[in-house]
Amino acid sequence: MSSTPSTPRARAWITAGLLSLALCGCSSLTGGTDGGTGGSTGGNNGGSPSTSSAADGPEVPASSLDLERVCTDGLGYPGMPAYDRTKKTVHPAMLMNNPGDTWSQFEPPAGDFPKGWILGYSDKPADAELVVCVERTKASPTGKKCDMESDDGKPFTVSTYNTSYRLKVVEARTGKELSKHTGEAKSDECPMYIFTSEGEDKGKHYNEVRPKDYRKRVQPFIAP
C-alpha cells in the first residue's frame, strides 16, 4: 500500500477546555458524516436549570435545560405560548438533543431550517411554542476505524458507530406529544472532523441524524 499523500492541516481554536477539533488524515476518503444533532456542543442558554416561582405568575423555563422535562416526562410550562396548529404561521420551536446521557439545546447551522423555525442560543426558551426532542437510543459498532489527527498534531484512531434515534415534537405549554418517529443513522465513511467535549472518549464517533433528515417531519407542526 502506498503512503498517504501529504495534505494541508487545518487548525481551529474552540473554547479552551471545552471542545477539541480532530481532523481526518486520510486523503483516500471522499466524504464523511457531520454529526448533525450536535452531540455535546449544545448551549444551555442561561446556566443551571431554574424556573419562575408561583408568585411570579405561570411557570416558564428560565433556561433551555429546563425543557428536559418536556422531552422526558411530557411536563409542559403553563406560562409558555399556546400552540394552535390551525394558525398558518411559524410556530417557533426549541431543539433539544440527547446524544446518550444528557439533554442540551442545539442550534442547527444556518440553512438547515428556514429562519424563525428553530430558536437559537440567544433566544428566550420561554418564547417557544414547540419542543423538538432528538434522542440517541442505541449505538452499534460499524467495524470501521479512521485515522485522525488532533489539533495539536497528534495522530489517533477513531472507531465509528451507527445509531438509532427517537424524534418527538411536543407542545411546550402542555407537554402533549404531537408526533413521534424512530429511525437509524448509518454511514460507512470516516468523518472529516469531529468535536469532542473535555473528558469525552475521542476514540469513538457516532453517526447521528442530521437536521436536514427530519426537517420534513417537523415542518407540518412548525410551519403548517
Side-chain angles (χ1 to χ4, degrees):
M1 180 180 295
S2 61
S3 60
T4 303
S6 176
T7 57
R9 299 299 187 191
R11 289 291 183 267
W13 290 100
I14 311 299
T15 305
L18 177 62
L19 298 173
S20 61
L21 174 66
L23 302 172
C24 179
C26 304
S27 61
S28 61
L29 299 176
T30 58
T33 57
D34 60 8
T37 53
S40 55
T41 61
N44 62 24
N45 198 5
S48 59
S50 60
T51 56
S52 65
S53 65
D56 297 329
E59 187 182 22
V60 297
S63 81
S64 61
L65 294 181
D66 294 333
L67 296 176
E68 175 182 351
R69 80 181 202 187
V70 180
C71 291
T72 59
D73 301 320
L75 296 176
Y77 288 87
M80 297 184 76
Y83 174 71
D84 184 353
R85 191 176 177 183
T86 63
K87 293 183 178 180
K88 303 303 179 181
T89 185
V90 172
H91 303 277
M94 185 69 75
L95 178 55
M96 299 293 291
N97 177 58
N98 184 347
D101 55 0
T102 303
W103 287 93
S104 63
Q105 181 190 357
F106 175 61
E107 180 178 352
D112 279 351
F113 289 101
K115 186 176 181 179
W117 282 27
I118 304 295
L119 297 178
Y121 299 136
S122 61
D123 295 315
K124 295 180 179 179
D127 291 338
E129 293 185 24
L130 298 169
V131 181
V132 175
C133 311
V134 182
E135 180 180 14
R136 183 200 301 161
T137 57
K138 184 180 178 181
S140 57
T142 66
K144 189 175 186 66
K145 295 184 180 298
C146 306
D147 294 326
M148 310 290 289
E149 182 179 292
S150 65
D151 55 356
D152 58 3
K154 295 180 180 179
F156 65 96
T157 301
V158 167
S159 299
T160 64
Y161 290 75
N162 289 327
T163 62
S164 299
Y165 68 91
R166 181 187 299 115
L167 169 72
K168 295 195 298 184
V169 180
V170 186
E171 287 186 2
R173 185 174 188 175
T174 66
K176 178 182 178 181
E177 184 179 296
L178 302 177
S179 176
K180 181 167 68 175
H181 171 75
T182 57
E184 297 181 329
K186 296 182 177 181
S187 176
D188 59 0
E189 299 178 336
C190 287
M192 294 303 293
Y193 55 86
I194 62 174
F195 291 98
T196 57
S197 297
E198 185 177 5
E200 186 178 356
D201 185 356
K202 68 178 182 180
K204 296 180 179 180
H205 173 72
Y206 297 92
N207 296 311
E208 301 286 2
V209 60
R210 299 163 297 180
K212 70 176 184 179
D213 296 329
Y214 54 84
R215 183 169 52 222
K216 290 184 178 180
R217 295 189 180 278
V218 302
Q219 183 270 335
F221 304 96
I222 297 176

